[in-house]
Amino acid sequence: MKQFTVHRGVAAPLLRVNVDTDAIIPSREMKLVSKHGLGEGLFAGWRYTAPGGREPEPQFVLNRPEYSGASILLSGRNFGCGSSREHAVWALAEYGIRAIVAPSFGVIFQGNCERNGILPVVLEDAAVQALAAEVAPDPQRCQVEIDLQQQRVLSPAGHSYGFDIASSSRQMLLQGLDQIGSTLQRLDEIEAFERELRQRRPWLFEL
Amino acid sequence: MRVAGSTTAGNMTKTLFEKLWSDHEVARLEDGDSLVYIDRVFLHERTGSVALESLSSEGRVIRAPSRVFCSMDHIVDTLPGRGDETLVPNGKNFIQSTRQASRQAGIRLFDVNDSEQGIVHVVSPELGIVQPGCTLVCPDSHTCSQGALGALAWGIGSSQAEHAMATNTLVVKKPRTMRVTFNGQLPALVSAKDMILHLIARYTTAGGAGYAIEFAGEAVSALDVEARLTLCNMAVEFSAFTALIAPDEKVIDYLRGRTYAPGGANWEAAAAYWRSLHSDADASFDREIEVDCSQLAPFVSWGTSPQQACEVSGQVPVPDAGLEASDSTTLRKAFEYMDVQPGQALRELAIDGAFIGSCTNSRISDLREAAAILRGRQVASGVRAICVPGSQAVKREAEAEGLDQVFTAAGFEWREPGCSMCFYAGGEGFGAGQRVVSSTNRNFEGRQGPGVRSHLASPATVAASALAGRLADPREYLP
């Protein structure tokens, strides 16, 4: 998994609430049994002029030249709500998004981000709006820096916003950790628990 | 702030959630995370296929394949006479690769036309795979439905599904606890769907964020198991970690004799344990909400988020002046997308489509509820109406009762089981600009097809609206 330590990049505002995973990657864009090939379908319903088409909708923020190469999204609360599809995160990652800054996230989506090297940053709405306002005059030059070590977002004008993140999530992102591998190191403990659970609740194991 | 699970007297009392959690907690990790034992994993061909392929390509082994299940529901066609071919672009690949990967992994697959096939959250309870007190995960956000039987069941991503299959555990942050008590008796033709839509409209889609929610109270006890599945189904639309309901005799009676329910001597031991699964009388929750059900009315959504909903007799709201920028943008986009005006009466909205199905409302009781309204009546002209039973078992039971005849005589299409048009995957959808009343769970932009305007409602409200050709109150059709 890709590590996340410090990232500086163009931040694009998508300032609406409840951006759902159907919007991030419509089901019709999930064409292969694969984690790859999804970047083109990112935000397809908003990004292209017609369903299934590839003609860019000029008004959509990621298509505007001033936001080209955006690697940070600024959005409203409950970003990534809805369907559990991890394809939403795979699509964001493949497009080049490294971090999303929003007041809150859909819980499954947030976990999916952390398992795929994308940093979900929780900042209050006023801070997100302020970042978007600072970026707006010249997004290519007015870039945003996110430092996971320091747990802070640095605005183009130098305002610093601290953010919280669970230390396990932080470690996973900083080290690009393989969680299955680290859990399997506890296999003895899991097996001992399982034997004991089987004694207590034998019916759970008899299918 | 109160600390859940403790009292001033010092003796530990526990909520139902805490009992299930501690029964499955393998280890406490740092920072509030726990390693939680997973009893059952359920997959489907949309997201499960990727998880199986990824596991196998990384050379990982499924620890307990006999406790992993998979059903074909998301992509499979629901048209009569279906096979592996689907209208979803490349859909056949998902179906065939899921079949092959399931065989290789040695997990139980409910294949396209098997007698046990159906929507995961319909099939799992009806086969007795989910049970009170078990942990069950599925890479599907509506897995919270299954908490209705007193299980700890929640939706995960594909990577977590791989983790669960490879280790029989997941690393999870312990959620806070909330109890939502539904008091009073539901009026006639007001259902579990109306209860959950009301809750989300009143407390917003963020209302349950960070919580495991126990639904309790007189009105919940009065619901049958299927209606409880509907209530818990939309906990994810409330942003909850999951929902659950204490198992009672209805649940135990429901499970008795089901294919994967405990048998023999295990049955009595299991049932005795299940009877102990309830929150202690003085257990404290991090948050409590009470809802009076005696005044509830049929609900319907008017916007593009489940919280944008009100009584079907109501109007599209007029926005407050003091809204934050992102909220007023969202509201304006919702009005625009849905082609509704602030202040407009919902019952004026003419519909083009009506859909009964999905993991929310496709069980036999849902079909009976709709059929009672449709019997002897005709769908309004110009309305395309579709009914998709949630499983083969539901379909068989409905046909044995003659419900299929009621639906088709009224002008509904009668389909094969699956998720169908709850979401659009590039195959079947309603057309752009069409207004659809739907017994499903999401009214997001484009959810049922590009440009489709979805109104969420109960099966009774969908049936009544199909007859009226506009959004309608099922009580207009009271027998």
Side-chain angles (χ1 to χ4, degrees), chain A residues 15-18 20 22 27-28 30-35 46 51 76-78 81-87 90 107-108 112 115-116 125 129 165-168 171 178-181 183-184 186-187 189-191 193-194 197 200-207, chain B residues 23-27 29 31 33 37 39-40 46 49-50 54 60 63 66-67 90 94 97 131 134 139-141 155-160 162-163 166-167 169 171 173 205 239 262 266 270 273 305 324 326-327 330 333 423-426 442 444-445 447 450:
Chain A
L15 297 176
R16 46 200 280 183
V17 303
N18 296 323
D20 59 78
D22 275 80
S27 191
R28 63 176 184 273
M30 293 155 58
K31 293 170 186 163
L32 302 170
V33 185
S34 171
K35 303 179 177 183
W46 294 338
R77 65 176 182 277
N78 207 19
C81 62
S83 161
S84 66
R85 61 185 71 160
E86 198 159 324
H87 305 70
W90 298 329
V107 59
I108 303 173
N112 286 342
R115 285 176 186 79
N116 289 280
D125 196 48
Q129 301 280 352
I165 181 168
S167 67
S168 52
Q171 282 313 108
D178 163 21
Q179 202 179 44
I180 296 180
T183 298
L184 282 174
R186 293 173 166 270
L187 197 55
E189 205 177 343
I190 293 167
E191 284 175 344
F193 181 90
E194 192 173 64
L197 184 65
R200 279 186 287 137
R201 322 267 180 245
W203 57 86
L204 287 176
F205 296 83
E206 286 162 24
L207 284 168
Chain B
D23 203 50
H24 284 82
E25 191 176 47
V26 177
L29 311 175
D31 201 35
D33 282 344
Y37 190 83
D39 297 318
R40 280 139 179 62
R46 182 49 129 184
S49 49
V50 189
S54 170
R60 306 236 191 242
R63 277 195 79 246
S66 66
R67 289 185 279 136
N90 216 20
F94 282 82
S97 99
Q131 297 167 11
C134 81
D140 187 279
S141 61
I156 56 174
S158 295
S159 299
Q160 285 175 302
E162 292 176 44
H163 190 285
T167 71
T169 63
V171 177
K173 180 163 299 301
T205 50
S239 297
N266 270 337
Y273 170 61
S305 159
E324 284 180 9
S326 51
D327 284 307
T330 307
K333 284 187 186 287
F423 66 92
Y424 175 75
R442 288 186 177 135
F444 300 158
E445 275 186 26
R447 172 78 178 179

Side-chain angles (χ1 to χ4, degrees), chain B residues 385-443:
Chain B
I386 298 168
C387 178
V388 186
S391 70
Q392 300 283 355
V394 170
K395 182 167 182 267
R396 281 193 298 274
E397 197 173 353
E399 289 174 353
E401 291 177 20
L403 299 185
D404 58 323
Q405 300 299 322
V406 176
F407 278 100
T408 52
F412 268 76
E413 296 173 36
W414 181 250
R415 294 289 191 97
E416 295 294 322
C419 301
S420 191
M421 286 156 80
C422 172
F423 66 92
Y424 175 75
E428 270 192 293
F430 293 94
Q434 296 218 319
R435 190 177 297 288
V436 178
V437 59
S438 183
S439 77
T440 55
N441 43 54
R442 288 186 177 135
N443 52 345

Side-chain angles (χ1 to χ4, degrees), chain B residues 70-263:
Chain B
C70 182
S71 189
M72 303 281 197
D73 60 5
H74 270 61
I75 294 179
V76 64
D77 257 357
T78 55
L79 294 164
R82 71 181 177 191
D84 289 358
E85 296 289 343
T86 89
L87 294 167
V88 176
N90 216 20
K92 188 175 161 185
N93 270 10
F94 282 82
I95 290 172
Q96 295 185 338
S97 99
T98 299
R99 180 178 299 134
Q100 195 186 354
S102 296
R103 280 187 190 143
Q104 273 173 2
I107 66 170
R108 239 165 295 210
L109 171 69
F110 307 122
D111 209 339
V112 178
N113 286 317
D114 284 359
S115 63
E116 294 165 315
Q117 178 268 344
I119 303 172
V120 167
H121 315 304
V122 176
V123 163
S124 177
E126 75 186 11
L127 292 176
I129 292 168
V130 64
Q131 297 167 11
C134 81
T135 50
L136 182 150
V137 294
C138 174
D140 187 279
S141 61
H142 289 107
T143 308
C144 52
S145 312
Q146 301 191 42
L149 283 85
L152 189 54
W154 70 98
I156 56 174
S158 295
S159 299
Q160 285 175 302
E162 292 176 44
H163 190 285
M165 288 191 279
T167 71
N168 275 105
T169 63
L170 280 178
V171 177
V172 197
K173 180 163 299 301
K174 190 176 181 180
R176 290 173 294 166
T177 56
M178 181 194 292
R179 178 163 57 191
V180 179
T181 305
F182 288 96
N183 295 313
Q185 283 187 352
L186 283 178
L189 288 179
V190 180
S191 68
K193 183 64 161 287
D194 303 305
M195 290 163 72
I196 190 68
L197 285 174
H198 169 86
L199 182 73
I200 296 169
R202 185 158 144 201
Y203 293 95
T204 82
T205 50
Y211 291 100
I213 300 178
E214 180 174 345
F215 290 126
E218 185 189 352
V220 174
S221 302
L223 297 176
D224 62 28
V225 173
E226 296 191 346
R228 293 178 192 181
L229 286 156
T230 300
L231 183 65
C232 292
N233 174 269
M234 288 185 68
V236 66
E237 273 65 59
F238 196 44
S239 297
F241 170 75
T242 192
L244 69 175
I245 296 173
D248 57 6
E249 292 304 317
K250 283 185 188 174
V251 171
I252 295 173
D253 289 344
Y254 174 92
L255 284 171
R256 190 175 282 118
R258 304 245 172 207
T259 310
Y260 295 96

